[in-house]
Each structure stands twice: as structure tokens, then as C-alpha cells.
Amino acid sequence: MKIAIMADLPVLSTGYGKIAYYFAKYLLRLGVDVVFFGLQHMGFPVYVKVDGKYVEMYSCKGGAEPYLERCLREAKPDIVVHIRDAFAHTREFFPAPYHVKPVCQRYGVKSILWVPVQSEPLPKQYAQACVDESDLTLVPTEWGKEQLVWTGVPYNHLEVLPWGFDPEVYHPLDSKPDKTEFGFSENSVAIGSIGVNDQARKNWAGLLLAFQKVKKEIPEAELFLMTGSGAFHLPHFIEALGVKGSVILPKHYMKEWGIPEDKLVRFYRCLDIYVSLSAAEGFNLPLLEAAVCGTRVVASDHPNHREVLGSYGYFVKSYRIWPSTWSFDGAADPDDAASKIIEAVRSRDVRRFENLDRFRWDNIAKQFLKILESRGWM
């Protein structure tokens, strides 16, 4: 069995690239042959070191048909797992749409699309893309599956397979790392968040407004935003809200690269609270990773956040009043966000993460192979 993982580059420590890397790592441990089709890679095949093994990565720049055909001819996979938002296959919502299933069919290769569902209502084009561009669509949450069924994807075309964390990397420690590494004062209450800078759904302005209110109750509170100006001009908001000197931004920020994995783990562990007030999320890996590291998490009341965190999270009231291009996203109430952050800081409750094993990459890889077996693809 040979699996081609078609996604962002596995050397990226963010988003789809991270998912591709850890998925490959644990498939390899199960004896599955793996190759990468890199959507940002152009040129000769290269090798990526994964868990001590060198895995071939072929150039599949932008998913363009000539590149994909060459990948299929040279790598000869049995199945292509394409990790991408289905909007990439819609002319109405994506500037350079491309096709996967029709190309794979010409080479007798099965195609799987592993998609996040961030919010609703989904456009019908999204559902059609799931059907037209895959033999099977995987969704990381039950809520996401419900939305796709409601939009028109046949129930038997869908399986739920979550994204997750590597237990060898993400786990709690008895002592916290030095928070001053990230610019926090030694005796501060450290609050942090991570996300892309160019999408309004991340709601950085709302988080800053909530932090202003937290600061009045907890003067020693400091906030680190691992992002940069884009959808919001963050320095303007920081100055206008009077929290300059208490909000830390990275010296350098590139959304594609994020921060190195070992540094990211130290960041999660040094925090007192991790916060995400996103208006829409397909899964939210940083929330899961922070929680697994033992950090308390405050999150907008999004169905996917509820499904991932269970009773571990402190959830913020959210209202369906923030329309995006195609959906009604959930705007988090900044007053309630401030209250939940303060509650999380002051609480002495010890919350346990339920169903943690479900989100381990080793178990996800095993579940993936069971799905293939159930469909007679192995």
C-alpha cells in the first residue's frame, strides 16, 4: 500500500503542512509506504526526513494537472490523500481552482479529500466539490460531517477522521518553562494566542478588546499574539485600547512558517491561559495542542471547539451576527470573553481532557487504515 499525501509542504510547522507531516510519521510506523505531493514545491523531487526516514516529495505546484500527472506517473501511489479546503476546487470561491479525482481516475488511483468545515451555511459548490473531487471525503469533526450532509454530500461518501497531536511532542510538564523567553515579565499572568494575520475570522480585534477588560481586573496580565498585522492593523488597536506595553508581538512573522515545534511547545507550556476567539474554525489545532500541554484554554463557543475540547475548555458566548463571504460566523462577546479569561486565571478547578486518545496521531493513522479496510481499499 502506497499513500501519496497531497498538501502544503510537510516542513511547515503550521496548518496542513503539520497535518501532512504527523499523518505520514505514524503511517510509516504502521508499515505504509508514503510519499508527498507538495503543493508549494516546484522542481525535482526532494527528500523530507520524517521520523528518521527519508520520504520523497514530488513537485505538485498549485495542484496543476501537468504536475499531478507527473507525480502519479513517477510515484505510482494506490491512494492520494488531499488535505485541503474544498474551496480550492470551486471557481466561484478560489482564484486558481484545480482537479484531483478526474486526474487520479485516469491512472486508476483512489482519491480522498480531507477537509475542514469552518462555519455554515456552506455553499452548494463546496458540497459538489467534495463529491466531484474525491472517492471519499474525510472530515475532522462530527459537526463538519453534519454540515456537509445537510448541504448535499451523500452520507456514505463521508467519514469522520480527526486531526490531532503527537504524544511524543505535546504533553504537560511538572514545571513551567521560562516565560521571559517570549517577552513576558517574570511575574506576569501570561496569556497567548496563535493564528494567521490575514483572515478576519481570527478576531484579533475582539481578543484585544477582551484583554483591555482583563487588564483592569488583573494588572499583571500580558498578552502575546503570535501573528502580525493583516486583516487588522494591530498596533493601532493596541494603542487605541491603551494596552501598549502589555501586548507582545513577534519580531518577525511569516504565516506559512509559524514557529519551530520545540519552541511552540515551550510557548504553550509557559502560558497561564491560551485564548482563541475565532469566529470560524475547521478544527483549531493550537487549542488542542495547548490543552494537551496542560494549559487552560478559553475559546469562542463554536461547535468544533466544543467537540474537540469537551468539558476542558472555558467557552465564550458567541453570536451568529458576523457574516463572512458565504456564512454567518460566530462573533465572540468581548465582555464574556474577559469574564471567562479571569475565571480561568483564578479558578482552582482541575479539569481533565476527555477522549484524549481519539486525537493522538498514532490512533488516527490506525483509524484511517480501518476506514480503508471497511471500503475494501486494502
Side-chain angles (χ1 to χ4, degrees), residues 14 90 98 104 127 144 168 222 274 320 349:
T14 59
T90 64
Y98 56 92
C104 287
E168 295 177 358
E222 294 177 0
Y274 182 87
R320 293 181 73 238
D349 293 344

Side-chain angles (χ1 to χ4, degrees), residues 18 22 162-166 283 285 288-289 359-361 364:
K18 174 181 285 191
Y22 285 118
W163 294 335
F165 71 96
D166 185 348
F283 189 82
L285 277 174
L288 173 65
E289 292 165 349
F359 300 110
R360 291 171 52 121
W361 272 116
I364 293 167

Side-chain angles (χ1 to χ4, degrees), residues 39-178:
L39 290 172
Q40 290 91 6
H41 175 51
M42 185 167 66
F44 294 106
V46 297
Y47 289 88
V48 178
K49 193 173 184 179
V50 179
D51 200 31
K53 299 178 181 179
Y54 288 95
V55 179
E56 277 188 294
M57 181 168 69
Y58 293 84
S59 170
C60 198
K61 179 71 173 175
E65 189 168 319
Y67 287 106
L68 179 55
E69 284 201 331
R70 182 177 178 180
C71 289
L72 293 169
R73 286 197 305 269
E74 295 187 4
K76 296 179 172 58
D78 299 292
I79 296 173
V80 171
V81 179
H82 182 210
I83 308 171
R84 191 77 187 266
D85 197 308
F87 282 122
H89 303 302
T90 64
R91 293 190 178 278
E92 296 87 347
F93 297 96
F94 197 73
Y98 56 92
H99 300 290
V100 174
K101 180 181 175 181
V103 183
C104 287
Q105 284 179 325
R106 293 201 291 269
Y107 290 84
V109 175
K110 295 287 187 183
S111 59
I112 295 174
L113 181 60
W114 203 353
V115 300
V117 176
Q118 296 179 353
S119 55
E120 50 85 23
L122 287 168
K124 61 183 180 181
Q125 294 93 333
Y126 194 98
Q128 194 62 49
C130 290
V131 175
D132 292 346
E133 293 297 339
S134 71
D135 295 296
L136 171 66
T137 298
L138 302 176
V139 197
T141 64
E142 292 285 351
W143 180 82
K145 180 180 178 180
E146 291 172 9
Q147 303 314 308
L148 288 175
V149 169
W150 186 86
T151 310
V153 180
Y155 191 84
N156 62 359
H157 191 83
L158 296 165
E159 295 278 1
V160 175
L161 187 69
W163 294 335
F165 71 96
D166 185 348
E168 295 177 358
V169 178
Y170 295 94
H171 50 80
L173 291 178
D174 293 334
S175 58
K176 283 184 172 292
D178 181 7

